[in-house]
Amino acid sequence: MDLLKQFQQNWIRRKFSSSAAETILLAVSGGGDSMAMANLFLKSNIKFAVAHCNFQLRGAEADKDEDLVCIWCKENSITFHSTRFDTKQASVEWKKGTQETARILRYEWLESVRLGHRYSKTATAHHANDNIETLLMNLFKGTGISGLHGIPVMNGPIIRPLLFAQKEDILEYIKINEIIFREDASNATDAYLRNAVRLHIMPVLKEWFPNVVQNVSESIDRFAQVEMLYKKAIDHEKKKLTEQRGQDIYIPTRKLEKCEPLETICYELFTPYGFSSAQTPQIISLLASETGHFISSATHHIIRNRDFLVLTNVSAEETDIVMIEAAPHKVDTAKYRFSFSITGKPSSIPTDNKLACIDMDKIDFPLILRKWKTGDYFYPLGMGMKKKKLSNFFIDNKVPLHEKEQIWVLECNKRIAWVAGMRLDERFKIKSSTEKVLMVRCELK
């Protein structure tokens, strides 16, 4: 069966559009794959427009790509959209690689064109060989089950109508139909990871497994279906294990310990928050750790706090629990600014409730700064060793409900050392033997 017929049958089977009146936006670079895609749309009488990105990375060669696509659209009376990016400058500003920067620029612009002109979908020319390369890269990087589905055929408004086709079939179609295209010279180098996989790994696989593209493509379809079942099981476990408290997520350690397979569940629970597969053993080790132990990703902490693992945002303004690893230190929450410093013993104890003077002999870092919760208690300074629940302490001090919700406590070794802005705990007060003091100030922002 020729490629055109396969394309048309696949278009109907996949239900890429719900109406013949819809217009699809095609991402066309000027290379063979995207020019073949444009030709297939044209011959199939599917309404479409063309969008071309000039990343200005290849000088005059990139300009010739743009000219080719523009001329083709004029000759075939197709609406043409184009843009130019200073990709190198954006790469420096964003501190990302050139390929990643180009990808972000491309997809953001394509979506803006799609929305601005009310096109129903955006089509890219990814094919089966691209899909295998993606699968291999994901596998080598350790992306887990989610990486085995390769490139999705449909992902929101993005569709890949050539994903069924092998590169050899596309090249044959180009030859038969005398389609003009431009070859990107950078594709012949292994400067980029995908090119290295294409040039060095795929040829070896094809030599030993001649039907590798077809066989792996069929496996990718099965992997995608298996992933659907896998996600349902993982979502079920997440619902049983996680509890949202304010802006943080609490996971009971005893429940988590009983889960099987533990490594897989921990991986799926925490990778969405920036934790890598290599950190999974460290996460599991927190189940046997004391309160205060934690590990971090670029965006989140997982903190062992009593009988829970608490998943919290690194930004104090977006969390209800913060780790204080040392002093001096400053923390900005949504409402308050906390500052921590270590000094000698003051000549007189400040009477300002916004300032806590804590005996350093009683302090073990890391400390936990968190919102108070029901069941919390402490030993209010001046009341001796008389325990009092915070809820009752707030009633006695006539704290309004809306203010009570914003009260923070400083915790050390599972004991509340200070109800921020209100009262120190008796156990942490300065004594005659005190030499060093942890000074903690709480101020409205």
Side-chain angles (χ1 to χ4, degrees), residues 355-367:
L355 179 64
C357 295
I358 303 173
D359 188 348
M360 271 300 296
D361 290 338
K362 304 292 184 181
I363 293 296
D364 288 317
F365 287 104
L367 306 177

Side-chain angles (χ1 to χ4, degrees), residues 361-420:
D361 290 338
K362 304 292 184 181
I363 293 296
D364 288 317
F365 287 104
L367 306 177
I368 295 176
L369 181 66
R370 62 171 174 83
K371 292 277 187 72
W372 83 281
K373 60 180 184 290
T374 303
D376 278 343
Y377 66 87
F378 78 133
Y379 295 83
L381 182 66
M383 294 181 61
M385 293 303 290
K386 191 172 181 181
K387 183 166 73 173
K388 196 172 190 71
K389 284 189 174 181
L390 260 61
S391 54
N392 293 332
F393 177 74
F394 297 147
I395 291 172
D396 292 347
N397 285 270
K398 299 179 180 178
V399 179
L401 179 62
H402 71 281
E403 290 184 14
K404 189 163 59 174
E405 293 173 349
Q406 297 297 321
I407 293 176
W408 292 71
V409 297
L410 184 65
E411 183 180 303
C412 176
N413 291 332
K414 303 182 183 179
R415 301 182 300 172
I416 291 177
W418 183 41
V419 180

Side-chain angles (χ1 to χ4, degrees), residues 29-193:
S29 67
D33 301 332
S34 60
M35 292 301 289
M37 177 176 69
N39 185 277
L40 287 163
F41 269 78
L42 191 67
K43 288 193 172 185
S44 300
N45 294 315
I46 300 171
K47 292 179 67 176
F48 70 97
V50 164
H52 175 84
C53 301
N54 186 335
F55 297 104
Q56 302 189 92
L57 294 171
R58 296 165 34 248
E61 293 299 306
D63 295 340
K64 290 177 182 178
D65 295 347
E66 183 177 347
D67 291 341
L68 170 68
V69 180
C70 179
I71 291 168
W72 186 91
C73 287
K74 285 181 180 178
E75 290 176 347
N76 292 283
S77 302
I78 301 298
T79 302
F80 176 66
H81 306 277
S82 66
T83 190
R84 295 190 172 202
F85 296 115
D86 189 344
T87 310
K88 288 184 178 179
Q89 180 62 34
S91 177
V92 172
E93 291 176 359
W94 296 352
K95 298 179 180 179
K96 295 181 182 294
T98 303
Q99 291 291 294
E100 184 181 0
T101 300
R103 182 182 180 280
I104 294 170
L105 290 169
R106 179 191 190 207
Y107 279 105
E108 285 185 350
W109 178 71
L110 288 172
E111 181 64 0
S112 69
V113 174
R114 187 188 73 82
L115 292 173
H117 294 269
R118 297 184 178 180
Y119 299 130
S120 61
K121 297 285 192 301
T122 298
T124 67
H126 293 97
H127 50 73
N129 297 57
D130 293 324
N131 210 7
I132 310 272
E133 292 161 9
T134 298
L135 169 67
L136 291 174
M137 290 188 293
N138 288 343
L139 194 61
F140 299 153
K141 289 176 183 177
T143 54
I145 292 289
S146 62
L148 298 182
H149 65 215
I151 304 170
V153 176
M154 290 186 279
N155 186 15
I158 306 294
I159 60 173
R160 279 96 180 192
L162 288 186
L163 213 54
F164 72 92
Q166 296 188 31
K167 179 68 173 179
E168 291 78 4
D169 298 328
I170 295 172
L171 290 174
E172 182 67 18
Y173 182 82
I174 289 171
K175 182 179 179 181
I176 292 171
N177 291 275
E178 299 180 339
I179 296 171
I180 299 173
F181 68 95
R182 285 184 52 77
E183 191 68 62
D184 185 344
S186 67
N187 288 336
T189 72
D190 57 6
Y192 302 119
L193 176 60

